[in-house]
Amino acid sequence: MHKLDIDLIEMTMDIMKYAINRISISQPEMGTPKNEETLKKLVGETITEKGIGGEVAFDLWKEHLMKVNVPVDHPRNLAFVPAAPTRAATMFDLVTSASSIHGAYWMEGAGGIFCENEAMKWLVSLTGLPKGAFGVFTSGGTAANLSAIVTAREYWRSQNKQNQQKRGLILTSVGAHSSVKAMAKVIDADVFLIETEDRLSGSTVQKAIDGLERQERERLFAIVATGGTTNAGIIDDLDGISTICEQENLWLHVDAAYGGGALAADSVRHLFNGIEKADSITIDPHKWLFSPYDCGAIIYKQPELAKQAHAQEGSYLDIFKDEGAHGFNPTDYQIQLTRRVRGLPLWFSLATHGTDKYKESVERGIELATIAGKLIESLPHVELVRQPSLSCVLYRRIGWEPQDYTNWTYDNHKKGFALVTPTKWKSGDAFETVSRFCFINPDTTEKDIEMILETMV
Ligand SMILES: *Cc1c(COP(=O)(O)O)cnc(C)c1O
């Protein structure tokens, strides 16, 4: 079953060939959906006592199972937040797997962690956070947000004995990502939601704080601002909000899971002003920094506070804290113990291409949104709901009902042509169903956008 198995060598070659082929094509087939019952009929039992053999299993994968996935890097996949890992990053993801590195402790994963940290230094430099700020790679934005709010809550509790008895309260806006609310549930904190999906301003935050009852104000420990809302690409007034957090002694977490990549883009960098005063920042390299899944990041102004919140204790772990094993231990700064060195593919890709190439590729996403906006304005059957923001474009097909958007989405998906999904936007008091593009992939063309809009005529 292990090494030296001749079949396995052949299988390795087959798999490498498949991987090379998949990495080489820029327009992979867009999978069309099938339900579980249908798939089961097609592939039958795959987990059996004796095994069905690698060749058979791999054939089933190629023939049936791969074909029902939608590749996130398809240039006409503009739904949710797609992705576009570089070939260098994807190849090094294979290397990461093959190298079997434990990424929790320096003692075991020094080489991998060194590389992760080099990439992290660049990420931190984009934020403008002061010297001493640093971060770690996580499984994604959700885990990064959780790691940050646990740190914030523990810090708040450490400041004042009375806080230890209190249930925490977080203030954010409706535009914040669902994971902020979900992670507040995990730590059993309440969330006060400011009713706006538009840019959250400092004065709105101040008003919300001033409007809290005394007991609520005493429970408030953090503000979560968004650096690029997932739905519309809106960046909150980070400068204004950070000033208030300083005055009110509140933790500022900036969730830039999607938008964080745009810190590299000179054309929009000023929109993030104030981010350098945050206490923690989430950025997802698997969204707009061309890393394969899964790769998020959490950055702290004072990593020591994260360590106080997250470092795990255990007799079998003591050796890692020993002088002889000294080094940076990523496990101490987020919720996960055993971890993949998931920042390694990003490091290799950055080293290969250089940071200028990253700048250009992110700028291209923003440019594609501008191009789409102009196209939409020039066509009679569609109109912009709001001006494009970062790489998000919200637009409506004039005269369509919600069901029309859904049918259109399914139609294009079933044809294997495109994946563009509807969303909602509040206009006045009501929520309107609209269509949304999110551009990440620099291989998406103007022609792709034109063709998609044509299917709406
Ligand atoms: C995508 C996203 C998240 C969640 O990140 P995952 O990597 O999916 O866990 C959180 N916040 C924002 C703003 C996002 O766009």
Side-chain angles (χ1 to χ4, degrees):
M1 176 173 163
H2 261 104
K3 320 218 153 133
L4 289 178
D5 182 329
I6 198 81
D7 289 347
L8 201 64
I9 293 174
E10 243 167 69
M11 180 53 44
T12 307
M13 296 309 292
D14 283 351
I15 287 178
M16 291 318 289
K17 259 190 251 164
Y18 172 91
I20 291 165
N21 183 43
R22 175 59 182 83
I23 292 167
S24 310
I25 46 176
S26 60
Q27 189 140 326
E29 212 175 295
M30 179 166 296
T32 52
K34 285 192 173 80
N35 65 27
E36 187 179 356
E37 216 185 357
T38 312
L39 288 177
K40 186 75 188 176
K41 268 196 198 127
L42 286 169
V43 306
E45 287 306 328
T46 53
I47 305 302
T48 65
E49 282 186 356
K50 304 291 177 213
I52 60 172
E55 207 183 320
V56 175
F58 194 35
D59 281 344
L60 291 175
W61 172 256
K62 286 185 286 191
E63 259 320 292
H64 302 298
L65 299 169
M66 181 55 209
K67 291 182 178 166
V68 290
N69 300 307
V70 179
V72 284
D73 59 342
H74 191 290
R76 286 189 300 276
N77 181 348
L78 308 175
F80 317 111
V81 180
T86 64
R87 286 171 190 148
T90 304
M91 283 190 297
F92 229 68
D93 205 43
L94 299 177
V95 172
T96 304
S97 289
S99 305
S100 288
I101 300 163
H102 194 299
Y105 294 104
W106 188 268
M107 182 183 176
E108 288 191 279
I113 297 166
F114 174 87
C115 295
E116 283 195 314
N117 289 354
E118 291 297 295
M120 182 55 73
K121 282 179 200 162
W122 177 66
L123 271 190
V124 175
S125 77
L126 295 179
T127 66
L129 282 169
K131 202 162 173 279
F134 207 59
V136 286
F137 293 100
T138 65
S139 62
T142 305
N145 285 341
L146 177 58
S147 299
I149 60 176
V150 168
T151 303
R153 200 264 322 268
E154 291 301 288
Y155 176 60
W156 169 68
R157 286 198 168 148
S158 74
Q159 282 178 310
N160 174 344
K161 259 216 159 80
Q162 270 140 23
N163 292 350
Q164 286 167 20
Q165 318 303 325
K166 286 181 210 145
R167 185 186 165 97
L169 174 68
I170 294 167
L171 194 149
T172 190
S173 81
V174 171
H177 189 262
S178 54
S179 63
V180 173
K181 290 153 244 176
M183 292 307 102
K185 240 187 252 173
V186 171
I187 69 157
D188 201 23
D190 291 317
V191 179
F192 183 93
L193 279 183
I194 296 175
E195 275 298 326
T196 178
E197 212 187 323
D198 246 313
R199 183 167 181 267
L200 183 61
S201 69
S203 56
T204 308
V205 169
Q206 187 68 61
K207 241 181 259 157
I209 295 173
D210 294 344
L212 292 175
E213 312 239 332
R214 194 173 64 92
Q215 276 182 338
E216 283 178 329
R217 175 61 190 89
E218 285 173 0
R219 297 199 293 124
L220 181 67
F221 69 94
I223 310 276
V224 178
T226 308
T229 60
T230 321
N231 200 28
I234 296 163
I235 301 160
D236 289 341
D237 168 20
L238 302 179
D239 208 29
I241 297 172
S242 65
T243 304
I244 289 159
C245 286
E246 271 167 8
Q247 287 163 359
E248 301 272 347
N249 189 28
L250 292 167
W251 185 282
L252 173 59
H253 177 63
V254 177
D255 181 2
Y258 150 64
L263 289 167
D266 296 336
S267 68
V268 293
R269 178 59 183 83
H270 62 281
L271 301 174
F272 292 88
N273 284 350
I275 198 169
E276 70 283 353
K277 290 186 270 179
D279 293 288
S280 53
I281 301 169
T282 290
I283 299 175
D284 265 357
H286 69 204
K287 282 185 176 155
W288 212 354
L289 288 171
F290 317 108
S291 285
Y293 296 137
D294 45 22
C295 185
I298 180 65
I299 300 170
Y300 303 96
K301 178 156 70 188
Q302 295 175 268
E304 206 47 41
L305 298 179
K307 197 169 177 180
Q308 279 159 25
H310 291 288
Q312 297 191 24
E313 304 283 337
S315 44
Y316 84 103
L317 298 174
D318 281 350
I319 179 86
F320 294 119
K321 315 218 154 121
D322 193 73
E323 274 296 297
H326 67 85
F328 182 83
N329 297 326
T331 192
D332 289 346
Y333 303 89
Q334 41 78 47
I335 57 167
Q336 192 175 9
L337 182 66
T338 304
R339 64 184 284 282
R340 175 182 181 81
V341 274
R342 55 170 55 85
L344 196 49
L346 175 64
W347 167 78
F348 185 71
S349 183
L350 279 168
T352 300
H353 296 294
T355 55
D356 281 354
K357 192 78 193 164
Y358 272 71
K359 252 184 213 290
E360 279 167 37
S361 305
V362 173
E363 290 284 10
R364 179 62 184 160
I366 296 164
E367 193 180 25
L368 282 166
T370 310
I371 290 170
K374 292 210 175 105
L375 255 173
I376 288 163
E377 280 178 331
S378 75
L379 291 168
H381 64 294
V382 283
E383 65 187 9
L384 285 176
V385 171
R386 59 192 310 284
Q387 282 300 316
S389 218
L390 292 182
S391 68
C392 289
V393 185
L394 300 185
Y395 65 100
R396 66 174 66 85
R397 162 66 168 83
I398 296 163
W400 271 12
E401 298 292 320
Q403 194 55 44
D404 296 318
Y405 288 96
T406 310
N407 295 344
W408 174 75
T409 295
Y410 285 145
D411 232 39
N412 278 337
H413 188 190
K414 272 189 210 135
K415 284 183 200 141
F417 168 66
L419 190 67
V420 181
T421 47
T423 187
K424 288 197 176 74
W425 184 255
K426 198 170 183 181
S427 7
D429 275 344
F431 281 94
E432 182 190 354
T433 297
V434 300
S435 190
R436 170 178 171 278
F437 291 144
C438 179
F439 296 101
I440 295 287
N441 193 338
D443 290 339
T444 302
T445 61
E446 186 165 350
K447 184 81 196 151
D448 286 322
I449 305 170
E450 279 171 15
M451 287 194 302
I452 291 169
L453 290 172
E454 254 167 47
T455 62
M456 278 185 147
V457 172

